[in-house]
């Protein structure tokens, strides 16, 4: 099974990019719909199936998508859906779809197109580190090529038409996942989060809409899609993310200058629990791995890189854990297998600097 | 200095006695006053000094107290007072006394007599494990001998007269320190505590009046001193403690049968943090050592006994830590030294049973 193969290779957002100590990944998605066709929420299943086929055909003609797979959502079991969601290739809403929906996924997982989510097409490009500009160019190129083969619903005054008015216009949502573990330790996290919501930005946790900012992992994205050009939206978001990076860098520097022992204590505790706990929930795994990731950036930890920790953040999630073991596990079993797996992976990881 | 020497030898309640997996220590104290003399709160300093001398002279004639030391409270510095308090040889109130107060302490620390606390004499016997009967006999014998040399204030109708009416009658307070870590893990702790207060018992934490029940360490003692004989008070308390022991034993058995992995997880985490944290507060030390103590009783831990953990519970307290290092430390330094000390002591302690 193709989805099963995903577990064996690394997701692109798990490699390293620019500002990788603080920025985990950048993502740009576009909402597009076909002209004179009912939105997925109103269309019948047959109509949806036909549309899936049309979109798949169009994508087949796009050079960047050669080698892409088309996954019919009706053919996926629960675990496979969970896996795709955890890899941030589909939305929670899409994970519940059955017939009439499909995922088109590039071989390198950087491009994912959900067909018949809320809109006919949701095109996403995702890449590690801070690279809004590159991911934008990548998805824009794919979008332009698809546009040649399909007839998009577009109004000269409103821009791209979408099922939900919040996406009308550019249909663009750009988001950056930042890791604000330093601000959490200095106690400035909540203040910074409040500031972000005042700037009309959406702020979410590691696992998308509705998820909490466990471990200081925060997705920051634009709220409005109308009345600004794509470039203006991206430039504004980039500016804010760069501010966040400065705040977080300062917090980490302050920690190392004024409370080095506090940082060392937190990192050492997180590592000790990750290596010795017998049960670890997925939320706690995120919290502890987040602190370990901060430790790696601050050179307090030997034997694992930020990318290695990013991978652990992914593969300790319920779907990945179960896919690796090849069977469904109940919550208690998962917690036990997660603890065992993490302890094994971190066996040779040590605190770089012992107490002095 | 005599107080300094205390750090080097073990407090009697740190050895092992009956039911030692659950009962840490038993203590009996008697409140006594001299006839026709102002209570300490009303007496002048000169009067108090004279009374101290009289009591010390009387105690000098008691066989059981040969080799006892008399510590003039005016001569003790802050750290020494703290140390005596942590060893449960004086009360918090007494630790603040200066002139006109003295502590008479038997060579083995089992008998401690505070002179001019709230009452003229507060006589205490303390011993490890469950031994209310023995400690009662021990302090009763000392009390009877002292009675021969001093004139106690006694009313044929009320019994012994005391500064506070809550002590009138027998002047007896018996208390048992129980370690209810199992009930905490099964979630039944609060329910059991509520039951105890309904039984007209005083329930306190490890460090006496006003302290919380950190780590499930609870001192249970009688509230009323009037209208019952000493034997009746002791028998009632003993009955309740025996019930508590049964509850706690059952909780531990249930844990091992139904949630062995949860118990193992908690003990393994506590040990990992104790060995790897860089900063540990005294409250957290109690919490973690308490779980480790449960682990020792359940044979989940190799390399340390309950008595060894009892000792750590004592020597990680602020006064003992500073006395050991020979200087005052601020709170942050204490937390660092405590973590270093504990990690050193637990270096060779391991989880008996690895994950399976």
């Amino acid at each position: 099974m193709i989805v099963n193969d995903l577990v064996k290779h690394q997701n692109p957002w798990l490699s390293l990019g620019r500002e990788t100590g603080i920025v985990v990944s950048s993502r740009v998605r576009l909402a597009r719909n076909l002209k004179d066709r009912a939105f997925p929420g109103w269309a019948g299943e047959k109509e949806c199936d036909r549309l899936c086929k049309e979109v798949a055909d169009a994508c087949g003609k796009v050079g960047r998508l050669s080698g892409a797979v088309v996954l019919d959502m009706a053919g996926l079991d629960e675990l496979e859906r969970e896996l795709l969601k955890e890899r941030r290739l589909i939305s929670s809403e899409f994970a519940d779809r059955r017939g009439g929906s499909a995922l088109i996924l590039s071989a390198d997982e950087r491009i994912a197109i959900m067909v018949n989510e809320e809109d006919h097409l949701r095109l996403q490009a995702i890449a590690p580190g801070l690279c809004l500009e590159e991911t934008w160019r990548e998805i824009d190129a794919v979008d332009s090529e698809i546009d040649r083969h399909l007839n998009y619903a577009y109004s000269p005054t409103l821009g791209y038409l979408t099922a939900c008015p919040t996406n009308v216009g550019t249909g663009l949502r750009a988001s950056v996942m930042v890791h604000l573990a330093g601000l959490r330790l200095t106690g400035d996290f909540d203040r910074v989060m409040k500031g972000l919501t005042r700037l009309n930005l959406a702020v979410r946790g590691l696992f998308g809409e509705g998820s909490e900012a466990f471990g200081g992992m925060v997705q920051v994205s634009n709220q409005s899609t109308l009345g600004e050009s794509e470039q203006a939206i991206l430039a504004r978001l980039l500016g804010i993310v760069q501010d966040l990076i400065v705040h977080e860098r300062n917090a980490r520097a302050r920690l190392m200058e004024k409370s080095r022992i506090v940082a060392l204590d937190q990192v050492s505790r997180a590592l000790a629990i990750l290596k010795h706990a017998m049960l670890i929930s997925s939320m706690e795994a995120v919290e502890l791995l987040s602190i370990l990731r901060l430790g790696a950036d601050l050179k307090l930890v030997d034997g694992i890189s930020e990318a290695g920790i990013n991978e652990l953040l992914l593969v300790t999630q319920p779907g990945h854990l179960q896919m690796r073991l090849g069977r469904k596990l109940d919550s208690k079993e998962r917690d036990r297998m997660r603890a065992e797996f993490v302890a094994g992976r971190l066996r040779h990881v040590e605190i770089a600097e012992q107490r002095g």
Side-chain angles (χ1 to χ4, degrees), chain A residues 220-292:
Chain A
V220 184
S221 58
N222 61 305
Q223 288 266 34
S224 74
T225 54
L226 191 64
E228 276 184 306
S229 70
E230 285 87 348
Q231 278 73 15
I233 292 170
L234 292 169
R236 205 159 55 85
L237 182 64
L238 180 63
I240 289 160
V241 169
Q242 281 167 334
D243 278 355
L244 276 178
I245 294 172
V246 170
H247 280 308
E248 174 66 16
R249 276 271 160 251
N250 286 344
R252 294 186 186 189
R254 270 202 313 282
L255 263 181
M256 291 303 274
E257 268 173 47
K258 295 191 185 162
S259 338
R260 186 185 187 83
I261 184 89
V262 173
L264 206 55
D265 179 57
Q266 292 290 316
V267 174
S268 187
R269 281 168 182 254
L271 180 60
I273 297 172
L274 286 165
K275 288 169 86 165
H276 298 285
M278 304 282 178
L279 297 170
I280 302 184
S281 73
S282 52
M283 284 182 303
E284 190 187 15
V286 172
E287 288 285 354
L288 296 173
L289 288 168
S290 157
I291 297 171
L292 193 64

Side-chain angles (χ1 to χ4, degrees), chain A residues 55-337:
Chain A
V55 174
D57 287 346
C59 288
K61 295 170 194 155
V62 175
R64 174 68 180 86
L65 295 176
S66 80
V69 292
V70 180
L71 298 168
D72 180 356
M73 289 305 284
L76 302 186
D77 65 26
E78 208 187 312
L79 216 52
E80 292 170 323
R81 292 158 194 275
E82 186 68 20
L83 199 89
L84 292 169
K85 204 170 79 180
E86 289 171 0
R87 297 178 85 79
R88 300 167 68 218
L89 299 171
I90 63 173
S91 63
S92 292
E93 196 188 320
F94 201 65
D96 293 333
R97 290 292 159 89
R98 294 292 179 271
S101 298
L103 175 71
I104 300 168
L105 187 60
S106 73
D108 60 4
E109 279 189 59
R110 286 172 71 107
I111 308 282
I113 301 170
M114 290 185 283
V115 188
N116 288 327
E117 202 241 24
E118 185 181 281
D119 295 298
H120 293 143
L121 287 91
R122 284 278 178 103
L123 306 101
Q124 144 177 322
I126 187 169
L130 184 58
C131 54
L132 278 175
E133 189 58 34
E134 293 88 324
T135 43
W136 156 246
R137 277 200 303 266
E138 204 165 351
I139 204 63
D140 183 43
V142 170
D143 181 50
S144 302
E145 271 205 72
I146 293 177
D147 193 16
R148 267 185 247 146
H149 309 293
L150 295 174
N151 202 358
Y152 281 158
Y154 183 82
S155 144
T157 49
L158 288 173
Y160 291 101
L161 302 178
T162 54
C164 177
T166 56
N167 291 311
V168 165
T170 56
L172 172 87
R173 175 142 300 164
S175 72
V176 178
M177 172 104 68
V178 287
H179 180 217
L180 305 181
L183 287 165
R184 287 237 306 185
L185 276 189
T186 58
D188 297 312
F189 183 76
D190 289 344
R191 194 175 49 75
V192 170
M193 285 301 98
K194 264 186 204 152
L196 285 180
T197 34
R198 271 202 299 272
L199 286 169
N200 198 25
L201 290 168
V203 181
R204 294 165 182 183
L206 183 54
F207 298 102
E209 210 157 342
S211 70
E212 276 182 67
F214 293 118
M217 288 280 188
V218 170
Q219 284 187 60
V220 184
S221 58
N222 61 305
Q223 288 266 34
S224 74
T225 54
L226 191 64
E228 276 184 306
S229 70
E230 285 87 348
Q231 278 73 15
I233 292 170
L234 292 169
R236 205 159 55 85
L237 182 64
L238 180 63
I240 289 160
V241 169
Q242 281 167 334
D243 278 355
L244 276 178
I245 294 172
V246 170
H247 280 308
E248 174 66 16
R249 276 271 160 251
N250 286 344
R252 294 186 186 189
R254 270 202 313 282
L255 263 181
M256 291 303 274
E257 268 173 47
K258 295 191 185 162
S259 338
R260 186 185 187 83
I261 184 89
V262 173
L264 206 55
D265 179 57
Q266 292 290 316
V267 174
S268 187
R269 281 168 182 254
L271 180 60
I273 297 172
L274 286 165
K275 288 169 86 165
H276 298 285
M278 304 282 178
L279 297 170
I280 302 184
S281 73
S282 52
M283 284 182 303
E284 190 187 15
V286 172
E287 288 285 354
L288 296 173
L289 288 168
S290 157
I291 297 171
L292 193 64
R293 196 179 188 280
L294 176 71
D297 179 60
L298 295 176
K299 313 264 176 272
L300 298 177
V301 171
D302 276 344
I304 195 160
S305 66
E306 282 98 323
I309 298 166
N310 287 355
E311 196 208 339
L312 278 177
L313 279 165
L314 182 64
V315 299
T316 53
Q317 292 306 308
H320 277 75
L321 205 63
Q322 293 174 88
M323 192 63 95
R324 175 179 297 270
L325 289 161
R327 62 188 175 94
K328 287 233 18 128
L329 302 169
D330 68 26
S331 149
K332 185 72 149 294
E333 280 179 300
R334 284 205 300 274
D335 290 354
R336 197 166 61 81
M337 298 315 293

